[in-house]
Amino acid sequence: MDEVERTSAHGKNYKYWGMRVIFKTGLTLFSLLLGFSLYAQIGGNTTPLQYSVHTYSVVMDNSVYDAVWGIFPAGTSADDIEKGTAGALVPGTAYTILGIPWKEGSTAKFRVQFNGNMTAFDGTAGSGEYVIGYMETTTGTSACATASAMPFILYEPFDVDIDLLDSDDSGICSDQQGILLENSLATTHTVEYTVFITSPSGGYVAVNDVQWQFDFLINVVGANPALNATIASIVATNADMDAQSWDPGNQSTYSATCAVSPNGPDPTPGVNQVTFTVEFNDQLGVEQDVTFTISNIFGYYGELDFDIIDSGGDLNDNIATNTIWSMPDVGLIEAMN
């Protein structure tokens, strides 16, 4: 930029470099409003996930000045932003600005949803890297400006799925042993289901008491509507999580919320898988269809499950099904001669 000389109202000359001036108090570093932590983690303002929503803020030098926000390619510096030599990503295409950037007192704020065509981290160096840029411009003819830049890494979307822990559990005979129990109305067996974070593959970690949560629904429907099997007990556990249990009251349908909470002191490595052990009271001789469905899935920073956001309506990954087969009740063999 060319050096420019001007004359003040008092007749004194002063110089500035193009658009740039250093304000007396300077711009502070960004204040991360949604759970900034000193510990490395995936999830949060400096390591957001695709489709997530985050708010960024900066303390202004003067709240009457103009505040301009943007997202830039990796390597963009504050100097690049001030001089206008860096091209910002296009809002509405690369990402979405929620509302209009605003001011609260002396703080400028910017809320963004990462739901555009920005590429997420794929395990290779430099992938998923971007910069949040802020520029504050004086009002008046001088139009002096100072910028601040904050690098961040965009990760894969938050995705939680469910499956049977043991594929053999997809179909089980109603008394487990293959022997019909005479004079018995029901017997029990257990099925294990896993609810697990599919992505981000690096592991979603928060350092607060509750990491992520979801609602679950277990429903049992018998081939004979009058003889539905019932749910005897439900326990959810993981090596890094306090066990949780629910009393379904021997009903055929039960729903509740599972809040995934690490059991160690902060910071914790996080819990990315939960095992549900469900005990069923079977109805002998009646085939039963069982569905385990998870819904209302979100992470600590408000991330929504990818299957809800961008699955095209295909929610099969959020449903696990299995069958309790009815045991054949054959008669005695009779000699025909």
Side-chain angles (χ1 to χ4, degrees), residues 50-51 90 92-96 113-120 154 310:
Q50 280 185 325
Y51 302 101
V90 180
T93 300
Y95 63 96
T96 298
Q113 182 173 23
F114 298 100
N115 61 344
N117 58 15
M118 296 170 64
T119 302
L154 181 67
D310 194 22

Side-chain angles (χ1 to χ4, degrees), residues 2-22 138-144:
D2 295 331
E3 188 178 40
V4 180
E5 184 173 285
R6 290 190 180 275
T7 302
S8 72
H10 303 285
K12 182 177 180 180
N13 292 339
Y14 66 95
K15 296 179 180 180
Y16 71 99
W17 286 94
M19 294 286 291
R20 185 177 182 184
V21 65
I22 303 301
T138 62
T139 55
T141 58
S142 296
C144 301

Side-chain angles (χ1 to χ4, degrees), residues 332-337:
L332 297 175
I333 297 176
E334 296 183 4
M336 300 299 293
N337 59 352

Side-chain angles (χ1 to χ4, degrees), residues 16 21 38 78 90 104 123-124 128 130 133 135 144 147 174-175 190 216 231 244 255 262 281 287 309 318 324 336:
Y16 71 99
V21 65
L38 295 177
V90 180
E104 289 183 8
T124 60
Y130 298 93
M135 185 168 66
C144 301
S174 60
D175 72 338
T190 59
F216 66 87
I231 308 165
Q244 300 179 57
S255 61
N281 296 313
E287 181 179 317
I309 296 175
N318 291 357
I324 301 174
M336 300 299 293

Side-chain angles (χ1 to χ4, degrees), residues 160-305:
V160 176
D161 298 329
I162 184 173
D163 204 351
L164 288 164
L165 184 61
D166 185 348
S167 60
D168 292 339
D169 287 342
S170 60
I172 299 177
C173 294
S174 60
D175 72 338
Q176 287 190 301
Q177 303 300 319
I179 301 173
L180 186 63
L181 305 179
E182 295 183 6
N183 301 319
S184 176
L185 295 177
T187 186
T188 64
H189 74 271
T190 59
V191 177
E192 292 186 323
Y193 306 86
T194 57
V195 179
F196 55 96
I197 293 179
T198 302
S199 71
S201 56
Y204 178 82
V205 177
V207 294
N208 296 77
D209 290 339
V210 176
Q211 285 195 316
W212 49 289
Q213 70 179 58
F214 55 91
D215 296 339
F216 66 87
L217 169 66
I218 303 175
N219 190 43
V220 190
V221 179
N224 181 341
L227 294 175
N228 290 346
T230 59
I231 308 165
S233 64
I234 304 169
V235 178
T237 188
N238 183 284
D240 299 315
M241 186 187 83
D242 291 326
Q244 300 179 57
S245 61
W246 297 267
D247 180 7
N250 291 320
Q251 301 296 309
S252 299
T253 299
Y254 185 78
S255 61
T257 298
C258 179
V260 183
S261 303
N263 59 16
D266 293 342
T268 69
V271 178
N272 291 334
Q273 175 176 308
V274 180
T275 299
F276 278 80
T277 301
V278 183
E279 183 180 34
F280 295 96
N281 296 313
D282 302 326
Q283 291 286 352
L284 293 178
V286 180
E287 181 179 317
Q288 308 284 335
D289 290 325
V290 182
T291 58
F292 193 124
T293 305
I294 56 175
S295 62
N296 196 28
I297 308 158
F298 59 90
Y300 173 78
Y301 298 100
E303 299 95 342
L304 296 178
D305 181 46

